[in-house]
């Protein structure tokens, strides 16, 4: 009988001490990494699988624990609102406002004139109303919270009518029927998957109806034999029957970008003007600000949300408010291009291509002929549950000839000290210039140099 392979595993304490001596990280990280790596090895042995290099596994886990999370990465994917990459990057002015508010005390709930308690959201609320034409506004933690709060405050214990074509899942586990259930509301489904008519809503309204809810599909489109009831029609019905209408828009902008090709329904002031009692949308999608749920609407309705006991549990924190305040100020001052998401959406493709060519030149100069470097046209996406089907013509730097293939090069770029996220296609690496921020081209150069030097040491071994 062969020896029990578990006995050849190092002890947790010994492995942790060795990691620490090698400078892998602090004691806590070395200990946790060693324990996890040895646990993993034991489980593999139990399943009769090869164990691999336990030390290397532990060192990798230690490195993971030691670097800050979330840490900065460069987005070369061309997806402007990449949910896995934190959606909207903040404008420099918004990031500075966060840093300033975070580092000291602030008047977040103080009225400086009287020295007494002040309203947390007074300024942000005024700006949201000025930008949207709404009577009143409220900011909560995110849009999921905004919808939950709206439903709970207006319709708890009652029915909410939703089209079957709008019972969607947005990703990250936001599912409309489940949010309704969590809000203590009964779902009254009307219509069919592809077609819902005004008469379907009309027939469903009864004494138990608490609200009509319209949900933007956000991440998919329906084409073909399709009918939906527009917001204005729904508002007319709601007004006639005395039932509030909640518009879960998801992603919206306070700028009028319809002339730039953005769809009509992403224009928040238009939704407010259509008469919705409440319009809810995210701060970190098309708006280009921090994670937040923005609620706009009629004063008496917003007030019911504000005074709901749930509001406190869902409230936005002071750093969020600082970032949102600065973002809204940029919009009001006509400095929209300083908001990265807006710049990325509006930058003409020729300018993107110019930036791609400059990056290609810098990369070629840095790596010589180790890879072929070219610029090619691509089509980017907005992503993040925004503008499905909306195509963003763009330009990418394309790297060809990676020794271990494009996927291995993409992995090496992710392993750089400042990771760069790219797309791979046709065994080539594509770095879309549209989503690169102004200071990022040198970071891409550094990451590629790092990736190629790691590659050489591996080959030399
Ligand atoms: C994105 C989205 C949500 C969730 O918003 P979060 O800010 O991620 O909480 C809800 N509804 C719709 C229609 C969305 O597009």
């Amino acid at each position: 009988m062969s020896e029990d392979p578990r006995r050849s595993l190092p002890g947790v304490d010994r492995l942790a001490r060795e990691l620490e001596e090698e400078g892998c990280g602090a004691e806590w990280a070395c200990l946790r990494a060693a324990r996890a790596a040895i646990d993993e090895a034991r489980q593999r042995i139990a399943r009769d699988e090869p164990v691999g290099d336990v030390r290397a596994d532990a060192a990798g886990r230690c490195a993971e624990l030691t670097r800050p999370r979330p840490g900065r990465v460069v987005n070369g994917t061309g997806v402007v609102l990449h949910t896995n990459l934190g959606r909207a990057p903040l404008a420099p002015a918004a990031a500075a406002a966060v840093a300033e508010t975070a580092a000291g005390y602030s008047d977040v709930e103080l009225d400086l004139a009287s020295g007494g308690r002040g309203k947390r959201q007074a300024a942000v609320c005024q700006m949201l109303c000025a930008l949207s034409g709404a009577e009143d506004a409220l900011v909560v933690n995110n849009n999921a919270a905004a919808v939950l709060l709206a439903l709970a405050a207006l319709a708890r214990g009652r029915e909410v009518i939703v089209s079957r074509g709008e019972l969607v899942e947005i990703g990250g586990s936001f599912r409309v029927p489940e949010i309704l259930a969590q809000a203590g509301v009964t779902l009254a489904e009307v219509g069919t998957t592809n077609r819902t008519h005004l008469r379907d809503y009309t027939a469903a309204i009864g004494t138990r109806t608490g609200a009509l809810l319209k949900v933007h599909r956000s991440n998919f489109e329906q084409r073909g034999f399709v009918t939906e009831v527009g917001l204005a029609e729904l508002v007319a019905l709601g007004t006639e029957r005395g039932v509030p209408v909640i518009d879960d828009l998801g992603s919206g902008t306070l700028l009028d970008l319809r002339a730039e090709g953005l769809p009509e329904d992403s224009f928040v002031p238009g939704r407010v003007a259509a008469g919705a009692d409440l319009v809810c949308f995210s701060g970190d999608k098309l708006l280009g600000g921090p994670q937040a749920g923005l609620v706009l609407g009629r004063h008496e309705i917003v007030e019911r949300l504000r005074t709901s006991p749930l509001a406190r549990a869902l409230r936005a924190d002071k750093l969020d408010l600082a970032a949102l305040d600065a973002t809204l100020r940029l919009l009001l001052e006509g400095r929209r291009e300083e908001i990265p998401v807006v710049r990325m959406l509006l930058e003409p493709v020729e300018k993107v291509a110019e930036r791609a060519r400059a990056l290609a030149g810098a990369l070629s100069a840095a790596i010589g002929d180790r890879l072929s470097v070219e610029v090619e046209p691509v089509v980017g996406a907005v992503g993040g549950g925004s503008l499905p089907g909306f195509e963003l013509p763009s330009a990418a730097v394309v790297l060809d000839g990676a020794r271990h293939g494009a996927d291995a090069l993409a992995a090496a770029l992710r392993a750089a000290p400042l990771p760069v996220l790219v797309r791979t296609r046709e065994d080539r690496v594509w770095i879309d210039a549209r989503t690169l921020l102004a200071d990022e081209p040198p970071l891409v150069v550094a990451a590629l140099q790092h990736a190629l030097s790691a590659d050489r040491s591996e080959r030399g071994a």
Side-chain angles (χ1 to χ4, degrees), residues 111 143 181 214 277 309 339 374 409 432 442 459:
D111 175 33
N143 190 42
K214 182 144 189 72
D277 293 278
I339 299 173
E374 273 165 50
L409 180 56
D432 194 316
R459 300 284 292 185

Side-chain angles (χ1 to χ4, degrees), residues 87 142-144 170 174 215-216 218 248-251 282 284-285 292 385:
R87 290 196 186 150
N142 59 10
N143 190 42
I170 306 292
F174 180 92
V215 184
H216 195 275
S218 295
D248 175 14
L249 182 57
S251 191
S282 300
D284 55 356
K285 292 184 180 171

Side-chain angles (χ1 to χ4, degrees), residues 16-150:
R17 210 174 327 112
E18 286 170 8
L19 291 174
E20 207 183 333
E21 279 162 14
E22 285 163 24
C24 285
E27 186 187 357
W28 74 271
C30 294
L31 204 55
R32 299 189 82 83
R35 198 176 293 136
I38 289 169
D39 271 355
E40 167 76 24
R42 288 213 182 97
Q43 284 170 24
R44 283 173 182 252
I45 291 167
R47 295 195 302 261
D48 255 340
E49 288 170 11
V51 169
D53 187 341
V54 178
R55 276 186 78 89
D57 182 25
R61 289 171 190 267
C62 197
E64 260 312 288
L65 287 172
T66 298
R67 73 186 179 83
R69 289 288 299 275
R72 182 169 177 187
V73 304
V74 172
N75 177 9
T77 65
V79 180
V80 175
L81 297 168
H82 199 303
T83 299
N84 298 354
L85 304 185
R87 290 196 186 150
L90 290 180
V98 172
E100 168 125 353
T101 304
Y105 296 103
S106 64
D107 63 350
V108 62
E109 243 172 69
L110 185 84
D111 175 33
L112 283 175
S114 68
R117 192 190 164 101
K119 290 209 178 105
R120 278 175 88 79
Q121 303 195 351
V124 155
C125 174
Q126 295 281 331
M127 287 191 279
L128 283 170
C129 292
L131 284 159
S132 69
E135 270 177 31
D136 201 354
L138 177 69
V139 182
V140 291
N141 178 61
N142 59 10
N143 190 42
V147 178
L148 178 70
L149 178 60

Side-chain angles (χ1 to χ4, degrees), residues 161 190 197-206 212 237 240-241:
I161 302 176
V190 295
H197 306 277
L198 190 62
R199 62 174 183 273
D200 296 322
Y201 288 96
T202 309
I205 294 181
L212 306 177
L237 176 63
E240 185 193 315
R241 305 291 291 270

Side-chain angles (χ1 to χ4, degrees), residues 264-289:
E264 181 73 35
D265 64 6
S266 62
F267 182 51
V268 174
R271 310 297 284 186
V272 173
D277 293 278
L278 290 177
V279 180
C280 307
F281 63 108
S282 300
D284 55 356
K285 292 184 180 171
L286 281 178
L287 183 74

